[in-house]
Amino acid sequence: MEYDDVYKANMVSEPMAMTYGMSDELRNSDLLRRISDLSLSDKQCLMRYISEEVEVEGIQEDEWDRQDISDVEPYTMEELYARIEASHQQYLRGEYQTEEEVREELRKEFSWLQ
């Protein structure tokens, strides 16, 4: 397969990429079209307004955001070798997914991107 073919097959349109993570209700509403019709200065004002709203509401942090970096210790070489060996044993037992299986899972999970 040529590079251009791979590139085209993996391309996601910009509007779809911009709405990643957005609810179907919002993505399919008239709101996005109305926002795209706004002037640049109105969009900038809207972004300021929305960012203030988000700050006021507060963004929920997940466990990784609350993690103190000083609590994290690097793996020892023995631990790394043990993880590699465990992974190798899983592979030998056939406990893995092929690239096509992973791609199919992603197609199902992100079907709204098509």
Side-chain angles (χ1 to χ4, degrees):
M1 186 177 271
E2 296 293 318
Y3 173 79
D4 288 340
D5 296 333
V6 172
Y7 178 77
K8 288 175 187 169
N10 291 313
M11 268 187 5
V12 175
S13 71
E14 186 174 331
M16 285 190 156
M18 296 298 294
T19 60
Y20 175 78
M22 195 177 283
S23 69
D24 286 338
E25 180 183 5
L26 178 56
R27 192 177 313 105
N28 296 326
S29 72
D30 189 45
L31 180 61
L32 291 181
R33 184 195 56 75
R34 293 175 63 192
I35 289 173
S36 66
D37 291 344
L38 293 174
S39 69
L40 180 58
S41 64
D42 281 347
K43 288 177 186 175
Q44 290 169 331
C45 290
L46 182 59
M47 286 176 56
R48 276 197 311 273
Y49 175 81
I50 290 172
S51 63
E52 286 295 319
E53 286 287 309
V54 169
E55 264 184 46
V56 170
E57 290 178 21
I59 299 174
Q60 291 185 358
E61 296 177 317
D62 65 14
E63 180 182 337
W64 293 105
D65 294 325
R66 292 187 300 274
Q67 184 84 32
D68 183 1
I69 193 68
S70 63
D71 292 340
V72 179
E73 293 188 22
Y75 288 111
T76 64
M77 290 306 292
E78 292 78 21
E79 290 171 324
L80 289 172
Y81 289 137
R83 289 177 65 113
I84 291 169
E85 180 59 28
S87 295
H88 182 67
Q89 293 304 315
Q90 282 181 312
Y91 172 78
L92 293 176
R93 290 191 302 268
E95 297 171 5
Y96 61 88
Q97 288 181 300
T98 65
E99 179 183 352
E100 187 53 42
E101 290 170 332
V102 172
R103 286 183 181 272
E104 185 58 33
E105 253 182 46
L106 291 172
R107 267 189 220 102
K108 288 177 185 174
E109 186 175 346
F110 297 106
S111 62
W112 55 269
L113 283 174
Q114 296 175 6

